[in-house]
Amino acid sequence: MKVTVVGAGAVGASCAEYIAIKNFASEVVIVDIKENFAEGKAMDLMQTASLNGFDTKIIGSTNDYTKSAGSDIAVITSGIPRKPGMTREELIGINAGIVKQVSENLVKHSPNVIIIVVSNPMDTMTYLAHKSLNLPKNKIIGMGGALDSGRFKYRLAEALEAPLSDIDGMVIGGHSDTGMIPLTRYATRNSIPVTQFISEERLEEVAQATMVGGATLTKMLGTSAWYAPGAAVSAMVQAIATDAKKIFPCSAYLDGEYGQKDICIGVPCVLGANGIEKIIDIDLNEAEAAKFSASADAVRKTNNLLEV
């Protein structure tokens, strides 16, 4: 199992570290445009192998995609991160060109690769990869919902004063501060609806805190977060690599599901050896369906800025 991570910044390096520590991949290749940066990150990570007990080989490459040849899975984290006050959508001008070039280089050397897009604006960058590459739609996946759901569960556990292992919840819709839809109606604590423990008002506060979770951290850190994004991607990579058939909310290309076509947006998906094995069409009530439709409209507005 060979995995390539494009972008040796904080998110890419964290992703590579988590993949290596989980020890399910034989090789992780980190590619970056900055001279010797990926090589340095790879060397630093390899020097933790005996300490962390993993056998995954990690190598770095300065913009040489031949080293990524034969990758089963590739993760695209490259592009500029958010700064305080920026929306994800404001990154489109620079990141679109980067993601298009990177995805084409990956497929050139690994024609059967499954691609996970992390670069922002993520839903639009995932859509761009679909339009730029001649790959089946199940092989291009956007990472957003997995991260947003992790943040949702964190906020739920905080509100409930409960251990995170007790909490289950999911976020669908666009990966934006206004487009996310935390499914509070479906959230549970050890299979019991959370509505039995906290008020609707407190639950709405949890949802709002989830939606601005990335912006909150960007303001605190001065740049985008990296631990949780890296962990979210690595969990998706592991599910595909091990054919786990796990459900993650992912940005998937829709062709009629949820009443949407020709768009990538967050919906629950079964991830396995073929990438997206199945899109789960869950029942949304009227309010949730309206939010999803509005979220899709916002994603399309951003997509319209692309030149494809």
Short mmCIF file of all heavy atoms in Angstrom, two decimals, residues 43 46 79 110 113 125 128 162 166-167 218 255 268 279:
data_model
loop_
_atom_site.label_atom_id
_atom_site.label_comp_id
_atom_site.label_asym_id
_atom_site.label_seq_id
_atom_site.Cartn_x
_atom_site.Cartn_y
_atom_site.Cartn_z
N MET A 43 12.60 12.88 6.58
CA MET A 43 13.72 12.44 7.43
C MET A 43 13.37 12.59 8.91
O MET A 43 13.63 11.68 9.73
CB MET A 43 14.97 13.25 7.11
CG MET A 43 16.21 12.78 7.84
SD MET A 43 17.67 13.81 7.49
CE MET A 43 17.92 13.46 5.74
N MET A 46 10.94 9.87 9.81
CA MET A 46 11.57 8.54 9.84
C MET A 46 12.40 8.35 11.11
O MET A 46 12.56 7.23 11.60
CB MET A 46 12.45 8.33 8.61
CG MET A 46 11.69 7.94 7.36
SD MET A 46 10.68 6.44 7.55
CE MET A 46 11.93 5.19 7.84
N GLY A 79 -1.38 24.17 -1.59
CA GLY A 79 -2.11 25.43 -1.77
C GLY A 79 -1.87 26.31 -0.55
O GLY A 79 -1.26 25.90 0.43
N SER A 110 0.29 7.56 -11.61
CA SER A 110 -0.50 6.53 -10.90
C SER A 110 -1.92 6.55 -11.46
O SER A 110 -2.84 7.11 -10.84
CB SER A 110 -0.52 6.82 -9.39
OG SER A 110 0.78 6.91 -8.86
N VAL A 113 -4.97 5.65 -9.21
CA VAL A 113 -4.95 6.23 -7.88
C VAL A 113 -6.35 6.71 -7.44
O VAL A 113 -7.19 7.08 -8.26
CB VAL A 113 -3.96 7.42 -7.84
CG1 VAL A 113 -4.49 8.63 -8.63
CG2 VAL A 113 -3.61 7.81 -6.41
N MET A 125 -12.59 22.54 -5.14
CA MET A 125 -11.35 21.90 -5.59
C MET A 125 -11.59 20.43 -5.95
O MET A 125 -10.99 19.89 -6.90
CB MET A 125 -10.26 22.01 -4.53
CG MET A 125 -9.78 23.42 -4.25
SD MET A 125 -9.04 24.28 -5.65
CE MET A 125 -10.42 25.28 -6.21
N LEU A 128 -13.23 20.52 -9.29
CA LEU A 128 -12.21 20.80 -10.30
C LEU A 128 -11.43 19.54 -10.66
O LEU A 128 -11.16 19.28 -11.85
CB LEU A 128 -11.24 21.87 -9.77
CG LEU A 128 -10.02 22.19 -10.64
CD1 LEU A 128 -10.43 22.77 -11.98
CD2 LEU A 128 -9.09 23.16 -9.91
N ALA A 162 -19.49 14.88 28.55
CA ALA A 162 -19.42 13.43 28.34
C ALA A 162 -18.11 13.07 27.65
O ALA A 162 -17.49 13.90 26.99
CB ALA A 162 -20.60 12.98 27.47
N ASP A 166 -18.36 8.38 23.78
CA ASP A 166 -19.80 8.18 23.90
C ASP A 166 -20.60 8.86 22.79
O ASP A 166 -21.78 8.60 22.63
CB ASP A 166 -20.30 8.76 25.25
CG ASP A 166 -20.64 7.67 26.26
OD1 ASP A 166 -20.30 6.50 26.01
OD2 ASP A 166 -21.23 8.01 27.30
N ILE A 167 -19.94 9.76 22.06
CA ILE A 167 -20.65 10.68 21.17
C ILE A 167 -20.59 10.24 19.72
O ILE A 167 -19.54 9.82 19.22
CB ILE A 167 -20.05 12.10 21.29
CG1 ILE A 167 -20.06 12.58 22.74
CG2 ILE A 167 -20.80 13.08 20.39
CD1 ILE A 167 -21.43 12.68 23.37
N THR A 218 -8.25 29.30 13.20
CA THR A 218 -7.41 30.17 12.38
C THR A 218 -7.13 31.48 13.10
O THR A 218 -6.01 31.99 13.07
CB THR A 218 -8.10 30.43 11.02
OG1 THR A 218 -8.27 29.20 10.33
CG2 THR A 218 -7.26 31.36 10.15
N ASP A 255 -24.96 12.76 -8.65
CA ASP A 255 -25.64 12.63 -9.94
C ASP A 255 -27.10 12.24 -9.67
O ASP A 255 -27.55 11.17 -10.06
CB ASP A 255 -24.94 11.58 -10.80
CG ASP A 255 -25.48 11.54 -12.23
OD1 ASP A 255 -26.07 12.54 -12.66
OD2 ASP A 255 -25.29 10.51 -12.91
N PRO A 268 -22.98 11.49 3.43
CA PRO A 268 -22.39 10.26 4.00
C PRO A 268 -22.06 9.24 2.93
O PRO A 268 -22.89 8.94 2.06
CB PRO A 268 -23.49 9.75 4.94
CG PRO A 268 -24.73 10.46 4.58
CD PRO A 268 -24.35 11.72 3.88
N ILE A 279 -22.97 5.98 -1.84
CA ILE A 279 -23.45 7.21 -1.23
C ILE A 279 -24.74 6.86 -0.48
O ILE A 279 -25.66 6.28 -1.04
CB ILE A 279 -23.72 8.29 -2.28
CG1 ILE A 279 -22.39 8.74 -2.92
CG2 ILE A 279 -24.45 9.49 -1.66
CD1 ILE A 279 -22.55 9.70 -4.08
#
